[in-house]
Each structure stands twice: as C-alpha cells, then as structure tokens.
Amino acid sequence: AQKTNVQQCLLKLQTNKLYLLTTTTVLESKDSNNKYYDPLAIYAGSTETVTLPENLETIGSYAFNNNNIKSLYIPASVTSIGEDAFKESPSLETIIVDGDNKYYDSRNNSNALIETSTNKLLVGTHNTIIPNTVDIIGSYAFAYKTLLFGIEIPEGVVEIKDYAFYH
C-alpha cells in the first residue's frame, strides 16, 4: 500500500517508478512497511522539498538522481543510503539529518550528508562548510553543483574520491 501526502502535486506512476511534478511533497516509501525507497523513485522532477517518512530505513541507489530538490531532510531511521542516491542534484541547498540518526549526520550545521562511521562526506551543496572532522570527500559529493564557486577543504581531509567535484 503506497501512500503519498502531496500539496499541489501531480503524480504519474509508470513502470513502477514514481515521477513527481510539484514544489512541496511529503513522501512515503514504495514497500508496504514504508522502509525502502526504490532506485529512481524521484527522477527529473521539479520537486523542491522532500521530507522522508520517519520509519524509512533505506534510500536506494540513484533514488534522487537528476532532480531539482532544494531541501532534504533525512530521518533518524535511515540506516542505508545507496550509491549516488543524490547524484546530479545541482539545486540542493539544504541538507538536514535528524540528530538521532546513528549512521548519518550533518554535523555542525554543515549542510552536508556525512557517513558517521567513516567521516566521509557523501553529499554537499554550494553552501556546505566542510567540518574539520571529515576525513574523506566521496565520489560525486560536489559534482554538478553549478553554484559552487569555491570551498575550503580542511587539513584533516586525507582523501578526495574520483569525480568529487566533477562538472
């Protein structure tokens, strides 16, 4: 049973993919337990704000690929985020991770998605401030961020993965 709470939204279901055409959307995941977001769940839509359900556990690979999301909230329940889940999200301005999430954080109001156990920055925005505690900048972390004109990389960063700043 799929539920979608949408304000000013037009939904189109096609081949098991959910395409959203909206400016503000609150989504629930595609499985009956609301615990998994399918890969390519939101693709090339005009959604600007996404609030994921509080019991969501997994965000699939490429789930938010190639979109216009500006604001993203990751709940405490998320334990796994697939590869390149937010790749090609040039409009992303705000990333907030619930403070009770044990696997991911956005420490020091950094405006970044960081994997807590590895101190790896997975996703940044054009206004991210990389915390001194980050050790690794992940692949495609800042890729396609067309408004990114410069960023300070702390001395503690020991590795920058391929394509981290690809454009």
Side-chain angles (χ1 to χ4, degrees):
Q2 176 183 341
K3 295 180 182 178
T4 306
N5 176 6
V6 179
Q7 298 172 357
Q8 301 172 346
C9 181
L10 172 64
L11 295 175
K12 180 180 180 185
L13 287 172
Q14 191 176 63
T15 62
N16 211 18
K17 294 176 187 163
L18 179 62
Y19 294 84
L20 300 168
L21 307 170
T22 183
T23 54
T24 303
T25 307
V26 178
L27 301 171
E28 292 189 24
S29 58
K30 291 175 107 27
D31 78 350
S32 60
N33 297 318
N34 291 327
K35 294 187 177 191
Y36 179 79
Y37 233 95
D38 284 336
L40 297 175
I42 297 178
Y43 180 80
S46 59
T47 299
E48 291 183 358
T49 301
V50 173
T51 301
L52 299 170
E54 291 298 329
N55 59 344
L56 183 70
E57 293 177 354
T58 300
I59 299 172
S61 297
Y62 304 100
F64 296 92
N65 184 49
N66 190 18
N67 63 70
N68 293 312
I69 294 171
K70 289 186 177 183
S71 179
L72 177 67
Y73 168 76
I74 307 285
S77 57
V78 172
T79 60
S80 175
I81 297 177
E83 180 181 1
D84 298 326
F86 302 97
K87 184 178 174 185
E88 293 188 55
S89 300
S91 302
L92 193 57
E93 296 174 356
T94 305
I95 300 171
I96 299 171
V97 179
D98 188 289
D100 291 330
N101 189 302
K102 295 177 180 152
Y103 301 92
Y104 301 96
D105 65 80
S106 52
R107 63 189 75 156
N108 305 332
N109 297 314
S110 59
N111 244 345
L113 176 61
I114 300 166
E115 185 176 48
T116 305
S117 65
T118 62
N119 291 318
K120 181 179 179 180
L121 191 149
L122 301 174
V123 181
T125 72
H126 67 272
N127 54 13
T128 290
I129 298 172
I130 302 173
N132 292 331
T133 53
V134 166
D135 296 329
I136 303 166
I137 298 175
S139 296
Y140 296 100
F142 292 95
Y144 306 103
K145 304 298 188 265
T146 55
L147 296 176
L148 180 66
F149 296 108
I151 193 158
E152 184 176 328
I153 300 175
E155 288 183 25
V157 173
V158 294
E159 185 176 3
I160 299 174
K161 297 287 189 176
D162 291 341
Y163 307 107
F165 295 94
Y166 181 80
H167 179 52

